[in-house]
């Protein structure tokens, strides 16, 4: 029986992935490699929701992730980003597995959200770490050690982990204020555990990902975020630079030029954005 506890990638896949994210340094199951892969991944492979805009369910198999995110020049949302990232970490030899949590970013304090976000747990000689390449505009851009109540610097904003009963709570410091990002436990997840939520997020009328076009990318010194006609650059430690995009064609131009996304069918996406009234 095939091992269904993980996705399986080979040496050719790893080489193509490293080329895709522009990393040519040492590769070993250690903290310097983890930090390097994390930073390069979020700079090269943008967060985006083009498939859910068309009610297409992303293929979370190893073949599907390679075809879309690596060879296809596309991005994706958390199950795709972290599915690919986790598979590569495991292939390299990291002791790593998936987790699942409840998004708290932008949610009212008394709102209980579903368990819908994937992140990754990595065990190193230095201790356990949280790493996450797929939380959209507030993706942490460096691994975070599982130590509660300490401020941890990343290439962008500071983050911290808090204990919340049996759970952990991730917070980010933005403009001097700590805000909840997501809440999660340490129960290990395997690929099948993400299947139902992946379908729901890509097809439901209630899903955030089917409502309008979004994208995010995190390069050295700045974050970039797109929400329909609103395109914002967030230089680290400086005021945001906001731009209103005039139409669907300008949105597609921005997806291609700023986010490096190879659009599968530009004309169809323009039509879809216009139909959504974005």
């Amino acid at each position: 029986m095939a091992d269904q506890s993980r996705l399986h990638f080979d040496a050719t896949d790893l080489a193509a992935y490293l080329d895709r994210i522009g990393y040519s340094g040492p590769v070993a199951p250690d903290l310097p490699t983890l930090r390097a892969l994390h930073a390069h991944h979020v700079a090269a492979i943008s967060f985006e929701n083009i498939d859910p805009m068309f009610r297409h369910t992303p293929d979370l198999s190893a073949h599907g992730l390679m075809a879309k995110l690596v060879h296809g020049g596309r991005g994706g949302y958390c199950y795709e980003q972290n599915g690919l990232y986790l598979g590569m970490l495991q292939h390299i030899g990291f002791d790593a597995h998936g987790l699942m949590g409840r998004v708290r970013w932008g949610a009212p304090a008394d709102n209980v959200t579903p368990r819908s976000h994937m992140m990754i747990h990595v065990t190193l000689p230095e201790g356990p770490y949280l790493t996450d390449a797929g939380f959209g505009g507030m993706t942490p851009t460096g691994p975070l050690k599982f130590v509660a109540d300490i401020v941890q610097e990343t290439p962008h904003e500071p983050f911290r982990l808090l204990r919340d009963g049996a759970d952990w709570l991730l917070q980010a410091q933005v403009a001097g204020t700590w805000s909840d990002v997501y809440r999660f436990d340490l129960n290990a997840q395997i690929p099948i555990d993400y299947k139902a939520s992946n379908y729901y997020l890509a097809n439901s009328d209630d899903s955030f990902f089917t409502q309008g076009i979004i994208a995010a990318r995190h390069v050295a010194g700045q974050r970039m975020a797109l929400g329909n006609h609103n395109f914002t650059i967030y230089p680290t430690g400086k005021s945001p630079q906001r731009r209103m995009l005039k139409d669907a064609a300008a949105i597609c131009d921005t997806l291609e030029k700023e986010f490096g996304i190879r659009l599968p069918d530009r004309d169809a996406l323009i039509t879809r954005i216009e139909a959504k009234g974005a």
Side-chain angles (χ1 to χ4, degrees):
M1 179 180 293
D3 178 10
Q4 296 181 322
S5 67
R6 56 184 288 181
L7 299 181
H8 294 275
F9 297 89
D10 61 25
T12 301
D13 294 331
L14 176 61
Y17 169 75
L18 296 176
D19 182 66
R20 172 76 168 94
I21 66 173
Y23 180 66
S24 58
V27 175
D30 56 28
L31 185 55
T33 298
L34 182 66
R35 286 180 170 145
L37 295 181
H38 192 153
H40 280 74
H41 183 121
V42 299
I45 305 180
S46 291
F47 187 95
E48 50 106 326
N49 70 323
I50 294 172
D51 281 359
M53 282 282 287
F54 289 94
R55 307 299 176 97
H56 295 163
T57 306
D59 181 354
L60 303 185
S61 69
H63 174 77
L65 296 176
M66 289 296 299
K68 180 180 175 182
L69 277 71
V70 176
H71 301 300
R74 291 283 305 281
Y77 58 19
C78 69
Y79 301 133
E80 300 169 279
Q81 299 275 3
N82 284 326
L84 175 66
Y85 180 37
L86 171 60
M88 293 301 167
L89 293 178
Q90 291 173 330
H91 179 75
I92 291 167
F94 283 94
D95 179 359
H97 60 262
L99 300 172
M100 204 161 185
R102 304 180 190 276
V103 175
R104 299 292 312 136
W105 186 255
D110 59 349
N111 186 30
V112 179
T113 59
R115 287 163 50 86
S116 63
H117 179 62
M118 178 185 180
M119 68 289 289
I120 299 168
H121 183 285
V122 180
T123 300
L124 294 170
E126 295 88 345
Y129 280 78
L130 172 72
T131 188
D132 182 354
F135 193 74
M138 207 69 242
T139 297
T141 53
L144 303 169
K145 193 165 188 177
F146 272 102
V147 178
D149 304 315
I150 63 169
V151 177
Q152 302 192 51
E153 299 295 333
T154 74
H156 294 82
E157 294 82 9
F159 284 78
R160 68 183 181 188
L161 286 161
L162 307 178
R163 295 306 303 265
D164 186 6
D167 293 348
W168 289 84
L169 178 66
L170 178 66
Q171 293 186 326
Q173 188 179 49
V174 180
T177 299
W178 287 101
S179 298
D180 294 350
V181 180
Y182 48 74
R183 176 178 173 170
F184 62 102
D185 59 37
L186 299 184
N187 291 322
Q189 308 292 304
I190 60 175
I192 193 65
D193 295 324
Y194 302 111
K195 187 173 182 179
S197 185
N198 179 49
Y199 182 84
Y200 171 85
L201 292 179
N203 291 278
S204 173
D205 289 338
D206 295 327
S207 169
F208 173 72
F209 295 104
T210 63
Q211 304 307 308
I213 192 72
I214 57 176
R217 186 180 180 191
H218 318 286
V219 300
Q222 68 181 33
R223 295 183 183 271
M224 293 180 286
L226 174 77
N228 297 321
H229 290 275
N230 299 297
F231 173 54
T232 306
I233 297 174
Y234 298 91
T236 305
K238 300 179 181 178
S239 299
Q241 302 168 8
R242 306 183 190 279
R243 187 192 314 167
M244 183 65 68
L245 305 177
K246 64 179 182 178
D247 54 25
I251 292 173
C252 288
D253 287 343
T254 303
L255 290 171
E256 291 175 321
K257 295 175 182 177
E258 302 291 349
F259 294 91
I261 297 169
R262 191 185 308 165
L263 300 182
D265 189 331
R266 180 186 169 97
D267 291 340
L269 182 57
I270 287 175
T271 300
R272 189 62 175 167
I273 292 170
E274 291 174 342
K276 285 287 185 181

